[in-house]
Structures are given as structure tokens and as C-alpha cells.
């Protein structure tokens, strides 16, 4: 079994969680239950996503913020309009 050298994140965990919350606050789901479900899924997998970003030399924060673009490609997710 091979062990990878662990690389450490330049971002604290709370900041990445806050960035993920920001992403979800800037989009609107048609179904509020689905919004909670998808958010929880991303939150549960945040550590794995951060590790993936580090392993592939991607900035973790940019990777988290790019989730917004991915969400907006879904037919039931819309850009949140501030009023």
C-alpha cells in the first residue's frame, strides 16, 4: 500500500466552509429541500474536494468558488437576484 505525502492547506477549515456557504447563498434552488440536500453533500465531501485540489495543484478556494458555476448548469438552480 502506498502512502502519499500529505500536503497541508493554506486555508483554515472554517474559511473553506464559509466559502461554500457563500456559494450556496448566491444561487437559488427551485426546491428548498434539494438545496439542503446538495449543500450537505458538498459539506460532507469538502475535505475530499480540498485534498483533490491540493493533489492536482488547484487553488482550494478557487475550486470551492467554482462550484457555483457547476450548480448554475443544473436546470433547477438559478442565479440569486438581490433586491
Amino acid at each position: 500500500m502506498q502512502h502519499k505525502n500529505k500536503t497541508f492547506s493554506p486555508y483554515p477549515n472554517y474559511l473553506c466552509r464559509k466559502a461554500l456557504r457563500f456559494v450556496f447563498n448566491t444561487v437559488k434552488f427551485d426546491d428548498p429541500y434539494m438545496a439542503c440536500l446538495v449543500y450537505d453533500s458538498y459539506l460532507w465531501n469538502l475535505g475530499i474536494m480540498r485534498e483533490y485540489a491540493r493533489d492536482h495543484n488547484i487553488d482550494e478556494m478557487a475550486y470551492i468558488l467554482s462550484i457555483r458555476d457547476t450548480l448554475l448548469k443544473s436546470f433547477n438552480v438559478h442565479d440569486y437576484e438581490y433586491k
Side-chain angles (χ1 to χ4, degrees):
M1 180 176 189
Q2 290 182 340
H3 293 282
K4 289 184 179 180
N5 291 336
K6 289 280 186 183
T7 56
F8 294 99
S9 173
Y11 302 105
N13 194 38
Y14 80 90
L15 191 59
C16 293
R17 291 170 62 100
K18 196 170 198 172
L20 184 63
R21 174 45 57 196
F22 171 78
V23 166
F24 275 81
N25 284 341
T26 61
V27 296
K28 180 161 177 49
F29 283 73
D30 290 340
D31 181 5
Y33 176 75
M34 188 59 68
C36 289
L37 192 65
V38 173
Y39 174 73
D40 286 347
S41 176
Y42 272 99
L43 190 58
W44 274 96
N45 291 295
L46 188 59
I48 295 168
M49 292 187 311
R50 292 174 64 195
E51 188 175 331
Y52 173 85
R54 286 192 303 271
D55 289 348
H56 291 86
N57 298 318
I58 303 169
D59 181 65
E60 291 176 52
M61 197 58 65
Y63 188 62
I64 293 168
L65 294 174
S66 73
I67 292 170
R68 183 177 192 278
D69 297 331
T70 304
L71 291 172
L72 288 173
K73 291 177 184 175
S74 179
F75 72 93
N76 65 343
V77 180
H78 311 284
D79 198 4
Y80 187 81
E81 295 180 17
Y82 291 99
K83 293 182 180 183

